[in-house]
Structures are given as structure tokens and as C-alpha cells.
């Protein structure tokens, strides 16, 4: 049997070692973590194709359907799906049980608050239905690589309680949990004759938590690890002795620099917006974008395989993508310092502004060490065209506190990872409808966002999204930077390749597709 295009591979012979940064939470109870790492032994309801990242049935749901207004979603489970360790078949009761665990008071998963507003019903042994309070066309995102819900065995819980999960959670994936050394490693063994027909080329896979990137690089060079994650500034060093950098088939992250405050709201309260700041003038916002040599910046920050991003949260995998915007990016946003200086002169910058100085946040975020350097490079280019800047060092938590308190008066880097469906992302980062503290205050965008909430016709939603992205693009409402693939460095003597789509929170997945030499 094969599922979702996955096929049998060669017989297993060895253990694969993957060295990565330590997790934020070392726990077998997925819902108590931030959701950055789904065990290869566990499964969600919906899969992602390894090459395209599109939703597929390679996980527990054989098929799914929704009602006309997207408020009810029904999933039919693969009838052959079963848990490891003789814990029996995967049924609708397991999904309901897992759902209730994930919405508990100890849940820390991002986005889990939305699940608490839903109702779940086991329709029959292999069918489960989610009833939602609002239309949710993007519901599959939560059940795929984003991993808001992974499925645990109810039979194991009934027999052993949470202690059973903490000791050795049964999963339905092609690997079986073997054990962990807290703070050091986590090991899984390959399952013979797995219900999907998947058969990795190796007997075991071990994840080692190694904090220092230089140590991970040394492990790779010494043949102690098959694959490691490395900051991009070390990847060139890894390539010198013949190692290989492998990238996800699709973008795993989008990065941007956001102007904060309700700078496009003509009626915003003075203490809640940035209308007294220079970027309230569209000519200044365009000048900021024209001042940047993105090709040079992205080469320094990310190296090869990175694409300039026309509009933050727009992605060709999701509705709303505009080929017209993508093709017009160079003309509208291309590096042109003379044009930037002309726009500033037209706007009367700096004398016409009470606050001509633009604060740039220098910060770091786990998984994005390049953010501080991004701010420094942007400052250097803005300085050339005469834009006054202030470098403001602050940690991520301090910046978020200011943004959520409507006191932010700076330009800050932001990431979108895994890449959200466009309809969700654009609402979060530009309107009042999902995250009001990030609302830029544009009445047109907020009106379009309101239509998007109630509209269920796919074609109409696509047009509304295109209109939103066009408005963001034309008004220079942000500083879009890059679409970035996830990357892993492999020992070229041990690993031939590895296909993964970059659809998970960590960027890595599809461990069964690691191709050994």
C-alpha cells in the first residue's frame, strides 16, 4: 500500500543522526510545547507534498470536505491507520481525545485559542467533524505542517494516563519512539511494514540537541552527524570540505521590515499611531524602499536560493497571488537612490517632519540571527540617500510589548514562518481583524479585510486578496524583504539528498525521505 505518493525504498542499514539547536521545551506532550517540532513518530490529519508543499493525504486523513460556508469540516481517516506498540487502529475517538488534550489549560501551541472555540464530533469510527464559529477556508493549514493538532492514542491514555505519553508516546507515523536523554537527544526506530508502505533507508534516526553551531559543524565534518542545521553565515564554511546545503522545495519563511503604528489612519488617536513620523508620508515610504539594494542585502543575509518578496504574506501557493505585482516589483521597488532622493526632496524631508528620524530595531529571534544585520544594512543604505535613522537595540519581547501596547514608534523586522495562507497572513499583519496591534490603519484595507471574513466564494476571495495585496504594494505600506527556504547541511559522503517542502514550523520534515549514499 502507498499513501500520498510515498513509496517503498531500499532496506535499512544504519542510524541517521541529525544535530539541531535545542528545543524550547523538552517534552513528549506536544501541546505543552510551542509546536516547533513534530516527532517523526506522530502524525497530523493532513500532510504536505514533499515537492510542492500542497496539502495531501499522506497523514491520517484519507479525505476531507467542508460545507458551503466553510464552518464545518469533515475528515475521513485512513481505515488502515494504526498506532505503534500494539495500541490498535487510529479512530475518530483518538482524534477527539487528542483535540481535548490540545485545548487544555496547559496548552502552549500558537493558534490553539482558535481550537477552543470549535466543537468536535466523532461521526463514526473513521469520521470526525469540526464545527467552527466562523467561516474558515484555511482550516487545513492548522492540520498540516503547522501542526496545531497531532494525534495520540486514546487506548494508551486509558491504560497508562499521561505517564504513558511521557514515557513512550505511541504514534502512527513510520517511526517509533525509542527514548530520550533530556537536554541531549531523542531517538526513533524505523517501523517494519508500516501501514502507509513507507520504508526509510535506515534503522534509526536520532536528533541531538547541540547549542553551538560550530560544534554542529564539527560533528558534520567528522562524520558524527548526517545532517545539521547551521546559521547561513556558517553554511559557506560547511561547503568547503565537500558538504552539501539542501534547501526546502518551497519557501519556509517570509521576512520583512514593518512600519509600526496606524500611520495610514487619518483619524487615529495621537498616542496610537505613527502619523507624526516620517513614514506617514507615502513618498518617504517609497524612498525607503527605493534606497535598498535588495539583491546585495539578501546575498549577505541569506546567500543563494532566496527570492525577493513583492508583498509580505503573498505566496504563489495560496489564493490572492498576483503575477502582475510580482512582475512589477523591480519597476516599483527596484534599487534607485536618485529616485529616492528626489522623492525625499518632494516631500520636504527632513524639515517638513516633526520626527524625521526613523528608529530601526536591532533585535534577534531564535531561528533568525540575521535580523540584527538586516537592520544594520538597511541603515547603511538609508544613510546614503539622506534618511536619518536611529538604531534601537531591544529584545524581541520588549518590541512585542510595545507593539501590543500601541506605543511602537519604530521599524521592526518580522517573519512569517511557516508561511501562512495569504488570507490569514494579510489580516494579521495589516488589518484590525486578526491582530489589532499590527493594524496600519488603512480604511480601504480594513474594509477589504471585513469582506474577506464573510466571503466564502473562492473566486471572490481571490479577487479580494489581490485587491488587498495591490493596496499594500501601491502604498508602499511596508519594506518587503525575502522568501527564504529552510536549509540543512548534510555530510556529502553519507547523504545523497532529502526532499522536504519547508511547510513545518521548524522547516524540516519528511525524514523518511533522507536519501543515503
Amino acid at each position: 500500500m502507498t499513501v500520498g505518493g510515498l513509496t517503498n525504498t531500499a532496506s535499512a542499514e544504519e542510524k541517521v543522526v541529525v544535530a539541531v539547536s535545542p528545543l524550547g521545551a523538552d517534552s513528549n506532550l506536544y501541546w505543552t510545547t510551542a509546536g516547533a517540532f513534530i516527532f517523526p513518530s506522530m502524525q497530523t490529519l493532513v500532510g504536505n507534498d514533499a515537492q510542492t508543499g500542497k496539502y495531501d493525504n499522506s497523514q491520517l486523513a484519507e479525505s476531507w470536505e467542508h460545507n458551503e460556508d466553510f464552518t464545518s469540516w469533515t475528515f475521513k481517516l485512513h481505515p488502515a491507520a494504526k498506532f505503534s506498540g500494539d495500541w490498535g487502529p487510529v479512530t475518530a475517538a483518538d482524534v477527539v481525545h487528542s483535540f481535548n488534550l490540545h485545548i487544555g489549560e496547559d496548552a502552549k501551541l500558537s493558534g490553539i485559542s482558535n481550537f477552543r472555540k470549535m466543537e468536535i464530533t466523532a461521526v463514526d469510527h473513521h469520521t470526525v467533524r469540526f464545527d467552527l464559529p466562523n467561516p474558515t477556508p484555511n482550516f487545513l493549514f492548522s492540520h498540516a505542517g503547522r501542526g496545531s493538532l497531532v494525534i495520540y492514542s486514546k487506548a494508551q491514555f486509558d491504560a497508562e494516563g499521561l505517564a504513558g505519553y511521557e514515557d513512550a508516546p505511541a504514534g502512527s507515523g513510520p517511526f517509533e519512539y525509542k527514548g530520550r536523554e533530556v537536554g541531549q537527544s531523542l531517538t526513533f526506530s524505523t517501523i517494519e511494514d508500516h501501514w502507509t508502505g513507507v520504508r526509510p533507508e535506515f534503522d534509526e534516526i536520532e536528533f541531538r540537541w547541540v547549542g553551538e553551531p560550530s560544534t554542529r559543524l564539527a560533528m558534520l565534518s567528522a562524520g558524527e552527524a548526517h545532517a545539521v542545521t547551521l546559521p547561513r553565515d556558517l553554511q559557506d564554511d560547511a561547503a568547503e570540505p565537500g558538504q552539501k546545503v539542501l534547501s526546502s522545495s518551497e519557501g519556509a519563511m517570509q521576512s520583512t521590515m514593518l512600519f509600526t503604528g496606524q500611520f495610514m489612519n487619518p483619524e487615529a488617536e495621537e498616542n496610537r499611531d505613527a502619523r507624526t513620523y516620517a513614514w506617514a508620508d507615502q513618498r518617504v515610504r517609497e524612498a525607503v524602499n527605493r534606497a535598498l539594494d535588495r539583491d546585495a542585502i539578501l546575498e549577505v543575509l541569506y546567500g543563494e536560493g532566496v527570492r525577493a518578496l513583492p508583498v509580505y504574506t503573498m505566496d504563489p501557493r495560496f489564493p490572492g497571488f498576483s503575477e502582475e505585482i510580482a512582475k512589477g516589483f523591480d519597476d516599483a521597488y527596484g534599487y534607485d537612490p536618485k529616485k529616492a532622493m528626489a522623492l525625499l526632496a518632494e516631500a520636504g524631508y527632513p524639515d517638513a517632519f516633526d520626527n524625521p528620524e526613523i528608529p530601526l530595531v536591532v533585535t534577534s529571534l531564535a531561528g533568525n540571527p540575521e535580523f540584527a544585520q538586516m537592520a544594520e544594512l538597511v541603515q547603511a543604505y538609508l544613510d546614503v540617500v539622506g534618511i536619518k535613522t536611529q538604531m534601537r537595540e531591544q529584545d524581541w519581547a520588549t518590541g512585542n510589548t510595545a507593539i501590543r501596547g500601541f506605543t511602537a514608534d519604530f521599524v521592526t523586522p518580522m517573519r512569517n514562518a511557516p508561511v501562512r495562507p495569504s488570507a490569514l497572513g494579510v489580516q494579521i499583519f495589516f488589518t484590525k481583524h486578526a491582530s489589532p496591534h499590527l493594524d496600519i490603519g488603512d480604511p480601504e484595507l480594513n474594509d477589504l479585510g471585513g469582506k474577506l471574513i464573510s466571503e466564502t466564494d473562492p473566486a471572490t476571495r481571490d479577487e479580494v486578496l489581490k485587491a488587498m495585496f495591490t493596496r499594500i504594494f501601491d502604498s508602499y505600506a511596508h519594506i518587503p524583504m525575502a522568501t527564504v527556504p529552510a536549509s540543512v547541511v548534510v555530510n556529502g559522503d553519507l547523504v545523497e539528498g532529502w526532499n522536504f517542502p519547508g511547510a513545518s514550523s521548524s522547516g524540516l520534515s519528511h525524514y523518511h525521505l533522507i536519501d543515503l549514499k
Side-chain angles (χ1 to χ4, degrees), residues 42-45 60 83 90 94-95 98 149-153 170-171:
M42 307 301 291
Q43 290 188 303
T44 54
L45 287 179
L60 286 171
F83 290 105
V90 180
D94 297 300
V95 179
S98 300
L149 176 64
V150 299
I151 309 306
Y152 285 75
S153 164

Side-chain angles (χ1 to χ4, degrees), residues 169-309:
S172 54
F175 298 92
E176 183 174 6
Y177 178 91
K178 298 301 292 184
R180 72 163 67 245
E181 293 186 39
V182 176
Q184 297 185 52
S185 65
L186 192 59
T187 304
F188 302 86
S189 63
T190 295
I191 294 178
E192 296 282 350
D193 300 322
H194 189 255
W195 66 269
T196 60
V198 166
R199 185 65 173 93
E201 295 184 24
F202 41 90
D203 289 324
E204 292 186 346
I205 184 168
E206 178 182 345
F207 297 89
R208 295 183 187 172
W209 319 132
V210 182
E212 287 295 325
S214 58
T215 303
R216 298 200 295 273
L217 177 56
M219 292 175 62
L220 188 76
S221 299
E224 297 175 8
H226 290 72
V228 302
T229 55
L230 290 177
R232 290 183 180 269
D233 58 352
L234 283 182
Q235 289 182 6
D236 289 340
D237 295 337
E240 290 180 4
Q243 319 300 4
K244 296 191 298 185
V245 178
L246 303 180
S247 297
S248 58
S249 56
E250 294 293 336
M253 180 192 74
Q254 297 174 333
S255 66
T256 189
M257 295 196 76
L258 289 181
F259 299 111
T260 57
Q262 295 186 339
F263 55 91
M264 289 181 69
N265 186 353
E267 299 179 355
E269 299 174 15
E270 196 68 22
N271 67 339
R272 287 184 54 149
D273 74 341
R275 293 195 57 75
T276 64
Y277 288 82
W279 63 85
D281 190 307
Q282 179 171 318
R283 292 166 295 185
V284 175
R285 298 197 300 272
E286 181 178 353
V288 169
N289 278 285
R290 295 281 195 179
L292 304 180
D293 185 346
R294 282 178 173 78
D295 289 342
I297 291 174
L298 299 185
E299 176 64 27
V300 170
L301 294 179
Y302 299 112
E304 297 180 1
V306 173
R307 305 188 301 270
L309 177 67

Side-chain angles (χ1 to χ4, degrees), residues 12 48 51 92 97 110 156 179 198 220 261 263 319 389 411 422 429 447 485:
N48 294 95
Q51 191 60 40
H97 165 73
S110 174
Q156 183 182 19
V198 166
L220 188 76
F263 55 91
T389 58
V411 175
S422 297
F429 292 105
D447 285 346

Side-chain angles (χ1 to χ4, degrees), residues 371-442:
F371 274 2
Q373 190 176 15
M374 180 186 293
E376 294 167 356
L377 289 169
V378 168
Q379 182 198 36
Y381 280 103
L382 297 188
D383 183 63
V384 169
V385 301
I387 296 176
K388 300 178 182 294
T389 58
Q390 171 199 129
M391 303 302 280
R392 189 176 295 181
E393 293 192 16
Q394 63 186 30
D395 59 46
W396 192 258
T398 299
N400 269 342
T401 298
I403 290 171
R404 292 180 182 276
F406 297 99
T407 61
D409 60 351
F410 45 73
V411 175
T412 185
M414 195 68 68
R415 73 176 179 187
N416 181 21
V419 177
R420 297 172 175 85
S422 297
L424 177 61
V426 73
Q427 295 280 45
I428 289 174
F429 292 105
F430 296 101
T431 78
K432 66 182 181 181
H433 299 292
S435 299
H437 49 277
L438 288 173
D439 174 24
I440 65 174
D442 180 38

